[in-house]
Amino acid sequence: MAVLITGGAGYVGIHTAVALLEAGKDVVVVDDFSNSSPDSIKGAEKITGRKITVFKADVADREALEKVFAGNSIDAVVHCAGFKAVGESCAEPVKYYRNNLDTTLTLLETMKKFGVTRAVFSSSATVYGGSDKMPLDETMPTGCTNPYGWTKFMIEQIFRDAAAADKSLSVMLLRYFNPVGAHESGLIGEDPRGIPNNLMPYIALVAAGELPRLNVFGGDYPTKDGTGVRDYIHIMDLAAGHLAAVGYTEKHTGCEAVNLGTGRPYSVLEMVDAYSRASGREIPYVITDRRPGDVAECYADPSKAAKLLNWKADRGLDEMCRDSWKWICGKK
Ligand code: UD1
């Protein structure tokens, strides 16, 4: 029996593939490689010494997806496929709704057709919208500030409704905080196309000398040093969370939302410092205006994940920076 990972060549998908393979599971990946590279598959195979069955296809392509389900004995799905750039989602909302919802609906219909009842969904802390009560726990109100976030919100609701109607379904909605870093081997990592939007990949390119300086978006937030505060989580801890979630769906039915975060927040300037230490490079920065849509603070109460999944993040900020840097240096 195998776990199917949609978007399995992407940043979260490929690290999750490694965690699953190392736990002895077989992995099937469906990815259209529109925002990822087959190199990540090779890296994961090298790390684990195992083969991944890969299909190049769009998850919304029903015929292609049915072939994948027909030709492999899939017993659970980790659904990571989706567009994920906040700014682009504001510029092209319909494209985001079409893609992210279509892939999910086709996946759910195909799961039903082939009797697959277990799913883990790649959701985001973005579904907590602009809440200013921290830390965030899963009982807090949800709502979003951009179309990307709304697609996560809507997909959560689709899974919740599907699981309410079909009592055999077992779904975990994983709300990621800020995944960063790379596999400790440096063989796989985050590979954004163009100039990165997110903080750590941007800092990494500044440290590598490929970008001149970091723009720190806002120095006047009501936080410890005036810069934005987030809950950064090592990607291999996040991957371990997926493994635990896949295990959970084996023994339970219904639908649960769970935060994957450390509960330990850091500011932008703390990130700059830590990355500078890990890389031994200076990271020039300037404080600029706030980025529209950003909140001052966002961090998790991770206790539900500890209770339900027996999972917690183990790796600290220094490991996050060290492993990111190792990946960046290996790419050069
Ligand atoms: C962003 C998305 C969020 C998405 C998540 C995925 C926005 C507004 N939010 O979260 O919806 O789920 O990525 O990983 O895009 N920062 C800088 N300079 C930079 C980049 C970032 O100062 O060049 C700051 C930000 O203001 C923020 C922190 O670094 O305080 C983290 O930013 P980022 O990595 O983009 O993550 P989020 O905004 O938390």
Side-chain angles (χ1 to χ4, degrees):
M1 299 302 267
V3 179
L4 169 68
I5 310 181
T6 71
Y11 179 45
V12 173
I14 199 64
H15 290 83
T16 297
V18 167
L20 290 167
L21 288 165
E22 284 181 338
K25 312 250 180 233
D26 291 326
V27 170
V28 175
V29 162
V30 178
D31 201 302
D32 66 359
F33 297 102
S34 59
N35 193 26
S36 60
S37 149
D39 290 348
S40 68
I41 303 283
K42 284 190 213 126
E45 290 182 335
K46 194 162 174 202
I47 291 166
T48 59
R50 307 257 330 264
K51 275 272 161 227
I52 299 176
T53 307
V54 183
F55 294 88
K56 182 172 189 292
D58 182 339
V59 179
D61 177 345
R62 186 183 306 275
E63 218 176 292
L65 196 64
E66 287 189 358
K67 270 194 196 136
V68 175
F69 275 77
N72 297 273
S73 29
I74 288 158
D75 64 346
V77 175
V78 176
H79 182 35
C80 295
F83 293 157
K84 60 175 187 181
V86 174
E88 190 188 31
S89 82
C90 297
E92 296 188 75
V94 177
K95 176 176 149 184
Y96 268 64
Y97 288 116
R98 164 67 70 195
N99 181 71
N100 291 4
L101 298 181
D102 246 9
T103 47
T104 305
L105 296 170
T106 307
L107 176 66
L108 268 164
E109 286 166 350
T110 311
M111 285 173 63
K112 185 164 193 178
K113 183 162 178 179
F114 288 85
V116 177
T117 56
R118 298 162 53 201
V120 172
F121 172 58
S122 183
S123 189
S124 167
T126 194
V127 300
Y128 293 114
S131 170
D132 50 10
K133 221 172 132 237
M134 297 293 147
L136 294 160
D137 73 53
E138 294 83 352
T139 64
M140 285 180 173
T142 49
C144 300
T145 55
N146 57 70
Y148 156 76
W150 283 116
T151 68
K152 295 292 183 194
F153 178 97
M154 288 175 189
I155 295 168
E156 282 202 359
Q157 190 60 39
I158 290 168
F159 273 116
R160 227 174 271 122
D161 290 342
D166 177 349
K167 302 293 180 210
S168 71
L169 278 184
S170 177
V171 181
M172 287 295 286
L173 310 169
L174 300 182
R175 294 177 175 165
Y176 311 158
F177 280 71
N178 291 60
V180 295
H183 186 267
E184 26 277 317
S185 64
L187 290 170
I188 53 172
E190 188 171 15
D191 207 359
R193 302 219 163 138
I195 295 184
N197 295 309
N198 295 119
L199 180 66
M200 190 174 286
Y202 200 105
I203 291 182
L205 294 188
V206 175
E210 288 175 31
L211 291 169
R213 77 191 66 80
L214 171 72
N215 297 308
V216 176
F217 298 144
D220 57 352
Y221 284 110
T223 59
K224 44 190 149 185
D225 59 20
T227 66
V229 158
R230 296 290 184 274
D231 186 337
Y232 298 94
I233 173 169
H234 194 294
I235 188 71
M236 288 313 296
D237 278 332
L238 195 86
H242 287 71
L243 174 64
V246 167
Y248 184 88
T249 60
E250 210 175 328
K251 298 188 195 79
H252 304 81
T253 53
C255 182
E256 291 281 354
V258 170
N259 288 341
L260 292 186
T262 66
R264 173 104 226 267
Y266 291 101
S267 73
V268 175
L269 294 183
E270 286 173 323
M271 296 299 285
V272 169
D273 257 7
Y275 210 96
S276 183
R277 274 198 313 276
S279 61
R281 303 283 179 92
E282 208 190 313
I283 296 163
Y285 67 85
V286 284
I287 307 234
T288 65
D289 288 345
R290 294 180 178 189
R291 180 171 64 182
D294 273 0
V295 292
E297 295 194 313
C298 178
Y299 56 94
D301 172 348
S303 53
K304 185 174 176 187
K307 201 165 132 219
L308 234 55
L309 305 178
N310 195 23
W311 167 93
K312 75 173 183 39
D314 292 326
R315 297 161 179 89
L317 183 57
D318 290 341
E319 286 157 290
M320 300 179 207
C321 296
R322 178 199 69 196
D323 295 336
S324 159
W325 184 238
K326 188 164 185 189
W327 157 246
I328 294 291
C329 293
K331 280 205 302 175
K332 285 168 152 253

Short mmCIF file of all heavy atoms in Angstrom, two decimals, residues 84-87 123-126 145-146 148-149 152 176-180 190 196-203 214-218 221 227-232 266-268 271 288 290-296 298, ligand 1:
data_model
loop_
_atom_site.label_atom_id
_atom_site.label_comp_id
_atom_site.label_asym_id
_atom_site.label_seq_id
_atom_site.Cartn_x
_atom_site.Cartn_y
_atom_site.Cartn_z
N LYS A 84 0.41 28.92 -4.48
CA LYS A 84 0.63 29.38 -3.10
C LYS A 84 1.20 30.78 -2.94
O LYS A 84 1.64 31.13 -1.85
CB LYS A 84 1.54 28.37 -2.40
CG LYS A 84 2.90 28.21 -3.07
CD LYS A 84 3.81 27.31 -2.27
CE LYS A 84 5.19 27.28 -2.84
NZ LYS A 84 6.11 26.42 -2.14
N ALA A 85 1.20 31.58 -4.02
CA ALA A 85 1.76 32.93 -3.86
C ALA A 85 0.65 33.93 -3.54
O ALA A 85 -0.27 34.13 -4.34
CB ALA A 85 2.51 33.33 -5.12
N VAL A 86 0.75 34.54 -2.36
CA VAL A 86 -0.29 35.44 -1.90
C VAL A 86 -0.52 36.60 -2.88
O VAL A 86 -1.64 36.89 -3.29
CB VAL A 86 0.07 36.00 -0.51
CG1 VAL A 86 -0.93 37.05 -0.06
CG2 VAL A 86 0.14 34.87 0.50
N GLY A 87 0.58 37.26 -3.29
CA GLY A 87 0.47 38.43 -4.18
C GLY A 87 -0.18 38.06 -5.51
O GLY A 87 -1.08 38.76 -5.99
N SER A 123 -2.95 22.66 4.81
CA SER A 123 -3.61 23.95 5.04
C SER A 123 -2.59 24.94 5.62
O SER A 123 -1.39 24.67 5.59
CB SER A 123 -4.83 23.78 5.94
OG SER A 123 -5.57 24.97 5.98
N SER A 124 -3.07 26.04 6.12
CA SER A 124 -2.16 27.11 6.51
C SER A 124 -2.74 27.90 7.67
O SER A 124 -3.96 28.06 7.78
CB SER A 124 -1.95 28.03 5.31
OG SER A 124 -1.34 29.23 5.71
N ALA A 125 -1.84 28.45 8.48
CA ALA A 125 -2.26 29.34 9.56
C ALA A 125 -2.92 30.60 9.00
O ALA A 125 -3.53 31.36 9.76
CB ALA A 125 -1.06 29.73 10.41
N THR A 126 -2.82 30.79 7.70
CA THR A 126 -3.46 31.94 7.06
C THR A 126 -4.98 31.88 7.27
O THR A 126 -5.64 32.92 7.24
CB THR A 126 -3.08 31.99 5.55
OG1 THR A 126 -3.43 33.25 5.03
CG2 THR A 126 -3.75 30.92 4.74
N THR A 145 -7.55 36.94 4.43
CA THR A 145 -7.30 38.30 3.95
C THR A 145 -6.88 38.33 2.48
O THR A 145 -6.62 39.39 1.95
CB THR A 145 -6.18 38.96 4.79
OG1 THR A 145 -5.04 38.10 4.75
CG2 THR A 145 -6.59 39.17 6.23
N ASN A 146 -6.80 37.16 1.83
CA ASN A 146 -6.43 37.16 0.41
C ASN A 146 -6.96 35.88 -0.23
O ASN A 146 -7.26 34.90 0.46
CB ASN A 146 -4.91 37.28 0.26
CG ASN A 146 -4.19 36.16 0.99
OD1 ASN A 146 -4.26 35.01 0.58
ND2 ASN A 146 -3.53 36.48 2.09
N TYR A 148 -5.57 33.44 -1.91
CA TYR A 148 -4.83 32.21 -1.59
C TYR A 148 -5.35 31.63 -0.27
O TYR A 148 -5.67 30.44 -0.16
CB TYR A 148 -3.33 32.53 -1.48
CG TYR A 148 -2.56 31.56 -0.62
CD1 TYR A 148 -2.24 30.29 -1.09
CD2 TYR A 148 -2.20 31.89 0.69
CE1 TYR A 148 -1.56 29.39 -0.27
CE2 TYR A 148 -1.53 30.99 1.51
CZ TYR A 148 -1.22 29.75 1.02
OH TYR A 148 -0.57 28.85 1.83
N GLY A 149 -5.46 32.49 0.73
CA GLY A 149 -5.94 32.06 2.04
C GLY A 149 -7.36 31.51 1.97
O GLY A 149 -7.67 30.47 2.54
N LYS A 152 -7.52 27.95 0.88
CA LYS A 152 -7.23 27.02 1.98
C LYS A 152 -8.47 26.87 2.87
O LYS A 152 -8.85 25.76 3.26
CB LYS A 152 -6.05 27.52 2.83
CG LYS A 152 -4.72 27.56 2.09
CD LYS A 152 -4.22 26.17 1.75
CE LYS A 152 -2.88 26.15 1.07
NZ LYS A 152 -2.55 24.86 0.46
N TYR A 176 -0.19 24.83 8.67
CA TYR A 176 1.24 25.12 8.82
C TYR A 176 1.44 26.56 9.27
O TYR A 176 0.80 27.47 8.77
CB TYR A 176 2.00 25.02 7.48
CG TYR A 176 1.79 23.80 6.64
CD1 TYR A 176 2.06 23.87 5.27
CD2 TYR A 176 1.37 22.59 7.17
CE1 TYR A 176 1.92 22.76 4.46
CE2 TYR A 176 1.23 21.48 6.36
CZ TYR A 176 1.49 21.57 5.00
OH TYR A 176 1.34 20.48 4.18
N PHE A 177 2.43 26.75 10.12
CA PHE A 177 2.88 28.11 10.41
C PHE A 177 3.94 28.47 9.36
O PHE A 177 3.63 28.46 8.18
CB PHE A 177 3.23 28.24 11.90
CG PHE A 177 1.94 28.41 12.66
CD1 PHE A 177 1.04 27.34 12.79
CD2 PHE A 177 1.53 29.65 13.12
CE1 PHE A 177 -0.21 27.51 13.39
CE2 PHE A 177 0.29 29.83 13.72
CZ PHE A 177 -0.58 28.75 13.85
N ASN A 178 5.18 28.77 9.68
CA ASN A 178 6.11 29.20 8.63
C ASN A 178 7.20 28.15 8.40
O ASN A 178 8.23 28.18 9.09
CB ASN A 178 6.74 30.54 9.01
CG ASN A 178 5.74 31.68 8.97
OD1 ASN A 178 4.75 31.68 9.68
ND2 ASN A 178 5.99 32.67 8.12
N PRO A 179 6.99 27.24 7.46
CA PRO A 179 7.99 26.19 7.21
C PRO A 179 9.27 26.78 6.60
O PRO A 179 9.20 27.56 5.64
CB PRO A 179 7.31 25.26 6.19
CG PRO A 179 5.88 25.68 6.12
CD PRO A 179 5.83 27.11 6.56
N VAL A 180 10.40 26.42 7.17
CA VAL A 180 11.70 26.90 6.67
C VAL A 180 12.74 25.79 6.76
O VAL A 180 12.48 24.73 7.33
CB VAL A 180 12.22 28.13 7.48
CG1 VAL A 180 11.30 29.33 7.31
CG2 VAL A 180 12.38 27.78 8.96
N GLU A 190 14.03 24.26 -0.36
CA GLU A 190 13.04 25.10 -1.03
C GLU A 190 13.67 25.75 -2.25
O GLU A 190 14.78 26.26 -2.16
CB GLU A 190 12.55 26.18 -0.05
CG GLU A 190 11.38 26.98 -0.60
CD GLU A 190 10.76 27.90 0.44
OE1 GLU A 190 11.39 28.15 1.48
OE2 GLU A 190 9.64 28.38 0.18
N PRO A 196 12.32 35.43 -4.13
CA PRO A 196 11.40 34.84 -3.14
C PRO A 196 10.53 35.90 -2.45
O PRO A 196 10.95 37.04 -2.26
CB PRO A 196 12.35 34.22 -2.11
CG PRO A 196 13.72 34.28 -2.68
CD PRO A 196 13.73 35.28 -3.76
N ASN A 197 9.32 35.49 -2.09
CA ASN A 197 8.43 36.36 -1.31
C ASN A 197 8.63 36.17 0.17
O ASN A 197 8.42 37.08 0.96
CB ASN A 197 6.96 36.03 -1.62
CG ASN A 197 6.60 36.33 -3.05
OD1 ASN A 197 6.86 37.42 -3.54
ND2 ASN A 197 6.01 35.35 -3.74
N ASN A 198 8.99 34.95 0.55
CA ASN A 198 9.06 34.62 1.98
C ASN A 198 10.42 34.97 2.56
O ASN A 198 11.43 35.06 1.86
CB ASN A 198 8.75 33.14 2.19
CG ASN A 198 7.32 32.81 1.80
OD1 ASN A 198 7.10 32.00 0.90
ND2 ASN A 198 6.36 33.44 2.42
N LEU A 199 10.41 35.15 3.88
CA LEU A 199 11.59 35.71 4.54
C LEU A 199 12.85 34.85 4.42
O LEU A 199 13.89 35.35 3.97
CB LEU A 199 11.27 35.96 6.03
CG LEU A 199 12.43 36.56 6.83
CD1 LEU A 199 12.74 37.96 6.34
CD2 LEU A 199 12.08 36.59 8.32
N MET A 200 12.78 33.58 4.83
CA MET A 200 14.05 32.84 4.90
C MET A 200 14.72 32.63 3.54
O MET A 200 15.92 32.83 3.42
CB MET A 200 13.94 31.53 5.67
CG MET A 200 15.36 31.02 5.87
SD MET A 200 15.59 29.59 6.86
CE MET A 200 15.35 30.11 8.50
N PRO A 201 13.95 32.24 2.52
CA PRO A 201 14.62 32.11 1.22
C PRO A 201 15.22 33.44 0.73
O PRO A 201 16.25 33.44 0.05
CB PRO A 201 13.53 31.62 0.27
CG PRO A 201 12.29 31.48 1.05
CD PRO A 201 12.57 31.76 2.49
N TYR A 202 14.60 34.53 1.11
CA TYR A 202 15.14 35.85 0.72
C TYR A 202 16.46 36.11 1.45
O TYR A 202 17.48 36.47 0.86
CB TYR A 202 14.12 36.96 1.02
CG TYR A 202 14.37 38.22 0.23
CD1 TYR A 202 13.57 38.56 -0.86
CD2 TYR A 202 15.42 39.08 0.56
CE1 TYR A 202 13.80 39.71 -1.60
CE2 TYR A 202 15.68 40.23 -0.17
CZ TYR A 202 14.86 40.53 -1.25
OH TYR A 202 15.10 41.66 -1.99
N ILE A 203 16.43 35.88 2.78
CA ILE A 203 17.66 36.07 3.58
C ILE A 203 18.78 35.20 3.03
O ILE A 203 19.94 35.63 2.94
CB ILE A 203 17.40 35.70 5.07
CG1 ILE A 203 16.47 36.71 5.72
CG2 ILE A 203 18.72 35.63 5.84
CD1 ILE A 203 16.19 36.44 7.21
N LEU A 214 18.25 42.75 2.46
CA LEU A 214 16.89 42.39 2.84
C LEU A 214 16.09 43.65 3.11
O LEU A 214 16.59 44.56 3.77
CB LEU A 214 16.92 41.52 4.10
CG LEU A 214 15.56 41.23 4.75
CD1 LEU A 214 14.74 40.26 3.91
CD2 LEU A 214 15.75 40.68 6.17
N ASN A 215 14.87 43.71 2.60
CA ASN A 215 13.95 44.76 3.02
C ASN A 215 13.14 44.21 4.19
O ASN A 215 12.41 43.23 4.03
CB ASN A 215 12.99 45.13 1.89
CG ASN A 215 13.74 45.71 0.70
OD1 ASN A 215 14.53 46.65 0.85
ND2 ASN A 215 13.53 45.13 -0.48
N VAL A 216 13.30 44.82 5.34
CA VAL A 216 12.52 44.40 6.51
C VAL A 216 11.22 45.18 6.48
O VAL A 216 11.22 46.41 6.59
CB VAL A 216 13.30 44.66 7.82
CG1 VAL A 216 12.45 44.31 9.02
CG2 VAL A 216 14.61 43.88 7.82
N PHE A 217 10.12 44.44 6.32
CA PHE A 217 8.82 45.09 6.12
C PHE A 217 8.22 45.57 7.44
O PHE A 217 7.42 44.89 8.06
CB PHE A 217 7.85 44.13 5.43
CG PHE A 217 8.28 43.68 4.06
CD1 PHE A 217 8.02 42.38 3.62
CD2 PHE A 217 8.94 44.54 3.19
CE1 PHE A 217 8.40 41.96 2.35
CE2 PHE A 217 9.33 44.13 1.92
CZ PHE A 217 9.06 42.83 1.50
N GLY A 218 8.63 46.77 7.84
CA GLY A 218 8.05 47.38 9.04
C GLY A 218 8.94 47.24 10.25
O GLY A 218 9.37 46.13 10.58
N TYR A 221 6.12 47.68 14.47
CA TYR A 221 5.06 46.81 15.02
C TYR A 221 5.18 46.76 16.53
O TYR A 221 6.29 46.91 17.08
CB TYR A 221 5.21 45.38 14.46
CG TYR A 221 4.73 45.22 13.03
CD1 TYR A 221 5.64 44.99 11.99
CD2 TYR A 221 3.37 45.25 12.74
CE1 TYR A 221 5.20 44.82 10.69
CE2 TYR A 221 2.93 45.08 11.43
CZ TYR A 221 3.84 44.86 10.41
OH TYR A 221 3.41 44.69 9.13
N THR A 227 9.81 44.52 14.66
CA THR A 227 9.63 43.80 13.39
C THR A 227 8.65 42.63 13.59
O THR A 227 8.39 42.21 14.72
CB THR A 227 10.98 43.30 12.84
OG1 THR A 227 11.53 42.30 13.71
CG2 THR A 227 11.97 44.45 12.69
N GLY A 228 8.15 42.12 12.47
CA GLY A 228 7.11 41.09 12.50
C GLY A 228 7.59 39.81 13.18
O GLY A 228 8.76 39.43 13.06
N VAL A 229 6.68 39.16 13.87
CA VAL A 229 7.02 37.96 14.64
C VAL A 229 6.23 36.76 14.10
O VAL A 229 5.02 36.86 13.88
CB VAL A 229 6.72 38.23 16.14
CG1 VAL A 229 6.52 36.94 16.90
CG2 VAL A 229 7.85 39.05 16.76
N ARG A 230 6.95 35.65 13.86
CA ARG A 230 6.32 34.46 13.27
C ARG A 230 6.81 33.20 13.96
O ARG A 230 7.86 33.20 14.63
CB ARG A 230 6.67 34.33 11.78
CG ARG A 230 6.16 35.44 10.88
CD ARG A 230 4.65 35.40 10.73
NE ARG A 230 4.18 36.41 9.78
CZ ARG A 230 3.90 37.68 10.12
NH1 ARG A 230 4.09 38.10 11.36
NH2 ARG A 230 3.46 38.52 9.21
N ASP A 231 6.10 32.12 13.66
CA ASP A 231 6.42 30.81 14.22
C ASP A 231 7.07 29.97 13.11
O ASP A 231 6.39 29.32 12.33
CB ASP A 231 5.10 30.17 14.69
CG ASP A 231 5.27 28.86 15.41
OD1 ASP A 231 6.32 28.20 15.20
OD2 ASP A 231 4.36 28.49 16.15
N TYR A 232 8.40 30.04 13.05
CA TYR A 232 9.13 29.31 12.00
C TYR A 232 9.31 27.86 12.44
O TYR A 232 9.66 27.60 13.59
CB TYR A 232 10.48 29.97 11.73
CG TYR A 232 10.30 31.38 11.23
CD1 TYR A 232 10.32 32.47 12.11
CD2 TYR A 232 10.05 31.63 9.88
CE1 TYR A 232 10.10 33.76 11.67
CE2 TYR A 232 9.83 32.94 9.42
CZ TYR A 232 9.86 33.98 10.33
OH TYR A 232 9.63 35.27 9.89
N TYR A 266 9.75 34.13 16.63
CA TYR A 266 10.96 34.93 16.41
C TYR A 266 10.63 36.13 15.53
O TYR A 266 9.81 36.04 14.62
CB TYR A 266 12.05 34.10 15.72
CG TYR A 266 12.63 33.02 16.60
CD1 TYR A 266 12.23 31.70 16.46
CD2 TYR A 266 13.56 33.33 17.60
CE1 TYR A 266 12.75 30.69 17.28
CE2 TYR A 266 14.08 32.34 18.42
CZ TYR A 266 13.68 31.03 18.26
OH TYR A 266 14.18 30.06 19.08
N SER A 267 11.36 37.22 15.77
CA SER A 267 11.18 38.43 14.95
C SER A 267 12.04 38.34 13.70
O SER A 267 12.95 37.51 13.61
CB SER A 267 11.56 39.67 15.76
OG SER A 267 12.98 39.72 15.89
N VAL A 268 11.79 39.23 12.76
CA VAL A 268 12.59 39.28 11.53
C VAL A 268 14.06 39.50 11.88
O VAL A 268 14.95 38.83 11.34
CB VAL A 268 12.09 40.40 10.57
CG1 VAL A 268 13.00 40.53 9.36
CG2 VAL A 268 10.65 40.13 10.13
N MET A 271 15.74 36.50 13.11
CA MET A 271 16.02 35.58 11.99
C MET A 271 17.29 36.01 11.26
O MET A 271 18.12 35.19 10.89
CB MET A 271 14.85 35.58 10.99
CG MET A 271 13.56 35.05 11.55
SD MET A 271 13.70 33.34 12.09
CE MET A 271 13.72 32.50 10.53
N THR A 288 11.90 49.01 5.82
CA THR A 288 11.04 49.72 4.87
C THR A 288 9.62 49.76 5.43
O THR A 288 9.38 49.38 6.57
CB THR A 288 11.03 48.99 3.50
OG1 THR A 288 10.44 47.70 3.69
CG2 THR A 288 12.43 48.81 2.95
N ARG A 290 5.70 48.73 6.05
CA ARG A 290 5.05 47.45 6.28
C ARG A 290 4.54 46.88 4.95
O ARG A 290 4.18 47.65 4.05
CB ARG A 290 3.84 47.62 7.20
CG ARG A 290 4.21 48.05 8.60
CD ARG A 290 2.93 48.20 9.42
NE ARG A 290 3.23 48.57 10.79
CZ ARG A 290 2.32 48.60 11.76
NH1 ARG A 290 1.05 48.30 11.50
NH2 ARG A 290 2.65 48.94 12.99
N ARG A 291 4.50 45.57 4.83
CA ARG A 291 3.90 44.95 3.64
C ARG A 291 2.39 44.86 3.86
O ARG A 291 1.95 44.34 4.89
CB ARG A 291 4.49 43.53 3.45
CG ARG A 291 3.94 42.79 2.25
CD ARG A 291 4.72 41.50 1.99
NE ARG A 291 4.60 40.52 3.07
CZ ARG A 291 5.21 39.34 3.08
NH1 ARG A 291 5.99 38.98 2.07
NH2 ARG A 291 5.06 38.50 4.09
N PRO A 292 1.60 45.35 2.89
CA PRO A 292 0.15 45.31 3.08
C PRO A 292 -0.32 43.88 3.38
O PRO A 292 0.14 42.93 2.77
CB PRO A 292 -0.42 45.78 1.73
CG PRO A 292 0.70 46.50 1.05
CD PRO A 292 1.98 45.90 1.58
N GLY A 293 -1.22 43.76 4.33
CA GLY A 293 -1.78 42.44 4.66
C GLY A 293 -1.02 41.70 5.74
O GLY A 293 -1.51 40.70 6.26
N ASP A 294 0.18 42.18 6.11
CA ASP A 294 0.95 41.49 7.16
C ASP A 294 0.37 41.80 8.54
O ASP A 294 -0.15 42.89 8.79
CB ASP A 294 2.42 41.96 7.14
CG ASP A 294 3.26 41.14 6.18
OD1 ASP A 294 2.71 40.23 5.53
OD2 ASP A 294 4.47 41.41 6.09
N VAL A 295 0.50 40.83 9.43
CA VAL A 295 0.12 41.05 10.83
C VAL A 295 1.39 41.18 11.66
O VAL A 295 2.46 40.76 11.24
CB VAL A 295 -0.77 39.90 11.36
CG1 VAL A 295 -2.11 39.90 10.67
CG2 VAL A 295 -0.07 38.56 11.23
N ALA A 296 1.25 41.77 12.85
CA ALA A 296 2.42 41.96 13.73
C ALA A 296 2.97 40.61 14.17
O ALA A 296 4.16 40.34 14.09
CB ALA A 296 2.03 42.81 14.94
N CYS A 298 2.20 36.18 14.64
CA CYS A 298 1.43 34.99 14.31
C CYS A 298 2.20 33.78 14.83
O CYS A 298 3.29 33.50 14.35
CB CYS A 298 1.26 34.92 12.78
SG CYS A 298 0.39 33.45 12.25
C1 UD1 B 1 3.30 34.27 4.04
C2 UD1 B 1 1.92 34.51 3.53
C3 UD1 B 1 1.02 33.44 4.08
C4 UD1 B 1 1.51 32.08 3.63
C5 UD1 B 1 2.95 31.89 4.06
C6 UD1 B 1 3.50 30.65 3.39
C7 UD1 B 1 1.79 36.91 3.10
C8 UD1 B 1 1.19 38.19 3.56
N1 UD1 B 1 1.50 35.85 3.88
O1 UD1 B 1 3.27 34.29 5.48
O2 UD1 B 1 -0.31 33.65 3.65
O3 UD1 B 1 0.72 31.07 4.19
O4 UD1 B 1 3.76 32.99 3.64
O5 UD1 B 1 4.81 30.42 3.74
O6 UD1 B 1 2.47 36.83 2.10
N2 UD1 B 1 9.47 39.78 5.70
C9 UD1 B 1 10.37 40.82 5.53
N3 UD1 B 1 11.02 40.92 4.33
C10 UD1 B 1 10.83 40.03 3.30
C11 UD1 B 1 9.92 38.96 3.50
C12 UD1 B 1 9.25 38.88 4.69
O7 UD1 B 1 10.56 41.63 6.42
O8 UD1 B 1 11.45 40.18 2.23
C13 UD1 B 1 8.79 39.63 6.99
C14 UD1 B 1 7.28 39.72 6.93
O9 UD1 B 1 6.82 41.03 7.05
C15 UD1 B 1 6.88 38.83 8.12
C16 UD1 B 1 7.98 37.78 8.18
O10 UD1 B 1 9.09 38.35 7.49
O11 UD1 B 1 6.90 39.56 9.32
C17 UD1 B 1 7.62 36.47 7.52
O12 UD1 B 1 7.17 36.71 6.19
P1 UD1 B 1 6.90 35.51 5.16
O13 UD1 B 1 8.05 34.58 5.15
O14 UD1 B 1 6.49 36.12 3.85
O15 UD1 B 1 5.69 34.72 5.82
P2 UD1 B 1 4.24 35.24 6.27
O16 UD1 B 1 3.98 36.63 5.89
O17 UD1 B 1 4.09 34.90 7.72
#
